[in-house]
Amino acid sequence: MQTPFPCTQCGCCCKQVFRSELTAYLDRGDGSCKYLSSDNICSIYEDRPDICRVDLQYKLFFSSKMTWDKFIEINVDACVFLQNEVNS
């Protein structure tokens, strides 16, 4: 059983969808996801786009390139970067 992605539900990734062409279509006009509510919860979480599903992205694009643990490590580093960007 793989360790789940340690998401803190801070919303920082959802507040910066403008940073990637893969998520730019979700931008509500201020850089944040149009589905992000004021309490940092995804309003369509159960039906969220595939790009927002860490485990699916790993399975589809990265499982042949790296381990799940390495993938988590890279994504946690990206998460910390985004948190620093939002909080600075």
Side-chain angles (χ1 to χ4, degrees), residues 16-65:
Q16 299 183 68
V17 295
F18 67 93
R19 290 187 175 272
S20 171
E21 61 188 46
L22 299 174
T23 55
Y25 74 97
L26 296 168
D27 191 335
R28 66 180 176 206
D30 64 356
S32 293
C33 180
K34 59 188 170 184
Y35 300 111
L36 182 65
S37 64
S38 61
D39 57 357
N40 289 332
I41 302 297
C42 178
S43 64
I44 61 163
Y45 186 79
E46 292 303 319
D47 296 315
R48 67 195 185 280
D50 289 349
I51 191 66
C52 302
R53 298 173 183 269
V54 175
D55 55 339
L56 181 60
Q57 292 303 302
Y58 174 74
K59 183 189 294 186
L60 293 175
F61 302 109
F62 299 98
S63 62
S64 65
K65 297 173 176 65

Side-chain angles (χ1 to χ4, degrees), residues 62-82:
F62 299 98
S63 62
S64 65
K65 297 173 176 65
M66 66 185 75
T67 66
W68 172 252
D69 289 339
K70 183 63 178 175
F71 182 72
I72 285 185
E73 179 185 326
I74 291 167
N75 278 275
V76 167
D77 288 346
C79 184
V80 169
F81 172 82
L82 294 174

